[in-house]
Amino acid sequence: MTVDEVATAPTDAAGLQRSRERIARHLVGRERELELTLAAVAAGRDIVLEGPPGTSKTTILGAITEEWGIPLLFVEGNADLTPAKLVGHHNPARVLREDYSADNFVPGPLVEAMQRGGFLYIEEFNRAPEDTLNTLLTAMADRSLAIPRVGRIRAEPTFRVIASMNPYDNVGTTRLSTSVHDRLNRLAVDYQDSDAEERIVILRTGADAGGTAPLGARLVRDAVAVTRATRNHPDIRQGSSVRGAIDTVLVALRLAALRDLNDPDSPDYPELVYDAMIVALSGRIHLDEALDTTPERVLREIWEDRFILEPHRADPG
């Protein structure tokens, strides 16, 4: 697909349907979220994707921008994201030699996204300072931006502002103004079901094929189960995304090779999973700060629920 072919987003029904079908090949599940996001950006709207990390938000956007042949520019929202970092600045060395001019202006990610017709993806959107977010208002409303000593930058038709926010983490965040909310569509993106997460882990680890089966197949089921359990444990403020399950499987497979363990029915298998959990999950869970406990202790409880209590309930004799 050439640049000329993606100067505007597909708006006819047939074009949108073809785009959706091609984009869906890059995703596991997420049909509804893809369809809604694609509809919003194809309609020329900016959108905030609200959900915890590891819920395929970046994957969806990457697949759409790849389909359209445009860049996806990442920006991390934090207190250090000033308007100058977002918009750009004049090269200080050249300013000393040449004075200010459009030629020595270094575009920031906002201007670059506007000029190239890309998606500006701002993660942790509600951690950015209010004056920085206000810089986006003109770009979103007018699709243009006036920069002193440079002139007016007009956005290409495919330029979009995409924001993400984590509803489970309010530490260090700021409340978005009504003006910002009024210019953004919103879509909640939550965790997928266990079947979809197992398919994601298989895709990312290859654990159901080759020499890893049947060990890999059981590891996938157990890793997804214990990872999902971190999201419901009463001592955990925020649990792990599916990335924790992916890393649990990858680490466990290497541990199994080191320990010469190939049988998932081995009495050593449960401890193998626990050791992998400690490495892959202990840094990804956020405990209730009011409790006197540790990630290792909480993960041991989750492990016991999976490998001691559940088998006992299934076979009470």
Side-chain angles (χ1 to χ4, degrees), residues 178-221:
T178 303
S179 297
V180 173
H181 274 298
D182 191 52
R183 285 169 172 80
L184 287 169
N185 288 261
R186 174 186 171 274
L187 176 64
V189 184
D190 208 344
Y191 296 111
Q192 300 198 69
D193 61 28
S194 58
D195 288 342
E197 291 197 337
E198 286 182 12
R199 285 187 283 135
I200 291 171
V201 174
I202 290 170
L203 180 66
R204 297 289 184 260
T205 66
D208 70 332
T212 66
L215 176 66
R218 182 172 177 189
L219 277 173
V220 169
R221 294 193 300 272

Side-chain angles (χ1 to χ4, degrees), residues 20 23-24 27-42 47-52 54-64 119 162 185-193 196 199-200:
R20 179 186 58 189
I23 294 168
L27 304 172
V28 175
R30 292 302 186 201
E31 290 85 359
R32 179 177 180 275
E33 290 82 1
L34 168 60
E35 188 172 60
L36 295 177
T37 304
L38 182 60
V41 295
I47 187 170
V48 56
L49 304 177
E50 189 170 316
T55 48
S56 302
K57 298 188 294 294
T58 304
T59 304
I60 291 172
L61 297 175
I64 293 175
F119 285 8
I162 314 292
N185 288 261
R186 174 186 171 274
L187 176 64
V189 184
D190 208 344
Y191 296 111
Q192 300 198 69
D193 61 28
R199 285 187 283 135
I200 291 171

